[in-house]
Amino acid sequence: MLTVKHLSLIGRRKTRKINLGSVPIGGDAPVVVQSMTNTNTRDVKSTVAQIKKLENAGCEIIRIALPDKEAVAAVSLIKKKINIPLIADIHFNYRFAIDAIKNGVDGIRINPGNIARDKIKDIIKVAKERGTVIRIGINSGSLQKDLWLKYGSANSDALVESAMQNIELFEDQGFDLIKLSLKSSDVPSMIEAYRQIAAKTNYPLHLGVTEAGSLVSAAIKSSIGIGTLLSEGIGDTIRVSVTGDPLSEMPIAYGILRALNIRKVGVEIISCPTCGRCEINLLRLSDRIEKALAGKKDYIKVALMGCVVNGPGEAADADIGIAGGKGQGTLFKKGKVYKKVREKDFEKVLLEEISLMLDERKKV
């Protein structure tokens, strides 16, 4: 059996490879970024619109909540209008899971803590017939009652035992199109649970910190929890949970992947914290450039520096950047000065040059 120490030494954990619709997961496939809508699923138009925005921002798998029959009925309509795999999120009602599978979802997520074992078997039977992926979503907030009584809390050991019990149930039914998640709002417990399960199974793992909070809290908790595990080679799909607009999850998720050199996707902006030498409005420039480039999937590293001290030298590995001065600045590429630019033209010139650079790459 692989130990946690061994996992950290051999690179990314070796898992079974499964296909969720058109997206491969596990094995040698890239770590995949997913999200979840917060629209009323019954409102097909608004749900599809949100999925399209997420898709354009880099979301590769999308999950929708199915709280009632009307939401389940909307599945087939939503599926026809989107381009990324669709996962149905099911709690309590096993019939919704079965009907969602029949309506064409690529995968379902069920929480074993709130569906009876005999009903889970019914779900497995239909999923097996249709080749539908099932995520066994263990969650600290809805652990099985017997495990609550045994451990006194939803600690990492309880989460792992729940996962292992359910893996046994699924395997007994001859089903292995499985993805696992062991989520907790407590980051240390979440990390430890994933480490333990990674040493016990070779199923793909979906990483996330549940109920992570608003933007800053979610970014911190997710970066520590997801980032720690990814740095140890653990994790095949990720979701950064943010209270509010799910679009805000994308830059955090890809930021984590870029910071660990796991995937180079999207725009990476580096900018200095500013000091007394800064004579340009760097905060405004950074904000405008970030917004203008949001949703770009092609990787490019852009440096925005407040003065010549933090200019081409300190940002030599950036593809392109600006080093500010009083009323003007220097545009540089790969650490070499390219041309002088007036401050009022920073945004316009930089965006034009970035567009040209990306176009040239596509021609190669």
Side-chain angles (χ1 to χ4, degrees), residues 167-240:
I167 288 170
E168 183 179 3
L169 171 63
F170 277 65
E171 290 179 341
D172 284 347
Q173 305 303 306
F175 189 85
D176 62 2
L177 288 177
I178 296 169
K179 186 166 65 161
L180 296 171
S181 63
L182 293 81
K183 292 188 177 184
S184 173
S185 57
D186 180 73
V187 176
S189 294
M190 170 263 191
I191 292 172
E192 182 56 29
Y194 277 105
R195 283 173 173 166
Q196 288 184 36
I197 202 68
K200 291 177 180 290
T201 78
N202 67 347
Y203 288 111
L205 295 178
H206 171 70
L207 305 185
V209 179
T210 191
E211 299 158 1
S214 57
L215 189 62
V216 173
S217 176
I220 293 169
K221 287 185 174 183
S222 298
S223 296
I224 294 171
I226 296 172
T228 296
L229 291 164
L230 288 174
S231 71
E232 296 174 3
I234 298 170
D236 301 284
T237 66
I238 66 172
R239 192 257 173 124
V240 173

Side-chain angles (χ1 to χ4, degrees), residues 18-25 60-61 79 83-87 104-107 131-133:
I18 61 175
N19 289 302
L20 186 67
S22 60
V23 175
I25 293 171
E60 295 165 308
I61 295 172
K79 175 67 177 171
N83 300 310
I84 56 177
L86 183 66
I87 298 175
V105 293
D106 299 290
T132 306
V133 172

Side-chain angles (χ1 to χ4, degrees), residues 5 9-10 36 39 60 153 195-196 215 228 245 251 290 294-295 308 327 332-333 347:
K5 181 179 179 182
L9 292 175
I10 63 175
M36 185 174 184
T39 55
E60 295 165 308
S153 69
R195 283 173 173 166
Q196 288 184 36
L215 189 62
T228 296
D245 190 345
E290 186 173 356
V308 293
F332 57 90
K333 297 180 179 182
E347 182 182 353

Side-chain angles (χ1 to χ4, degrees), residues 101-343:
I101 294 170
K102 291 180 178 178
N103 284 349
V105 293
D106 299 290
I108 62 169
R109 182 263 185 174
I110 60 173
N111 189 326
N114 54 41
I115 299 178
R117 287 175 70 86
D118 61 323
K119 302 305 182 186
I120 291 176
K121 290 180 182 179
D122 291 340
I123 296 171
I124 293 171
K125 181 182 177 183
V126 179
K128 189 175 180 180
E129 291 169 354
R130 303 287 180 116
T132 306
V133 172
I134 298 179
R135 168 150 69 98
I136 303 173
I138 311 300
N139 193 305
S140 62
S142 52
L143 195 68
Q144 294 102 303
K145 290 181 180 179
D146 61 323
L147 294 177
W148 267 106
L149 292 172
K150 178 177 178 178
Y151 290 97
S153 69
N155 60 25
S156 58
D157 291 336
L159 296 176
V160 171
E161 183 167 341
S162 175
M164 295 304 295
Q165 286 180 1
N166 284 282
I167 288 170
E168 183 179 3
L169 171 63
F170 277 65
E171 290 179 341
D172 284 347
Q173 305 303 306
F175 189 85
D176 62 2
L177 288 177
I178 296 169
K179 186 166 65 161
L180 296 171
S181 63
L182 293 81
K183 292 188 177 184
S184 173
S185 57
D186 180 73
V187 176
S189 294
M190 170 263 191
I191 292 172
E192 182 56 29
Y194 277 105
R195 283 173 173 166
Q196 288 184 36
I197 202 68
K200 291 177 180 290
T201 78
N202 67 347
Y203 288 111
L205 295 178
H206 171 70
L207 305 185
V209 179
T210 191
E211 299 158 1
S214 57
L215 189 62
V216 173
S217 176
I220 293 169
K221 287 185 174 183
S222 298
S223 296
I224 294 171
I226 296 172
T228 296
L229 291 164
L230 288 174
S231 71
E232 296 174 3
I234 298 170
D236 301 284
T237 66
I238 66 172
R239 192 257 173 124
V240 173
S241 298
V242 179
T243 301
D245 190 345
L247 276 173
S248 63
E249 299 171 7
M250 294 300 105
I252 303 171
Y254 280 110
I256 294 171
L257 294 175
R258 284 196 302 266
L260 292 170
N261 291 324
I262 291 173
R263 286 186 70 182
K264 295 292 188 181
V265 178
V267 179
E268 180 178 2
I269 295 178
I270 60 171
S271 59
C272 66
T274 73
C275 66
R277 289 188 296 268
C278 184
E279 296 182 282
I280 64 171
N281 191 333
L282 189 62
L283 179 60
R284 183 178 64 185
L285 177 64
S286 178
D287 184 58
R288 288 184 174 181
I289 295 297
E290 186 173 356
K291 287 178 179 177
L293 297 175
K296 292 277 188 184
K297 294 182 182 179
D298 295 321
Y299 177 72
I300 188 167
K301 190 171 187 177
V302 181
L304 305 173
M305 316 306 275
C307 70
V308 293
V309 174
N310 288 327
E314 290 197 20
D317 63 336
D319 294 298
I320 191 169
I322 287 280
K326 190 171 183 178
Q328 65 175 4
T330 300
L331 181 76
F332 57 90
K333 297 180 179 182
K334 293 294 185 181
K336 294 182 179 181
V337 173
Y338 183 64
K339 65 180 177 182
K340 296 287 185 182
V341 182
R342 293 178 297 180
E343 183 177 358

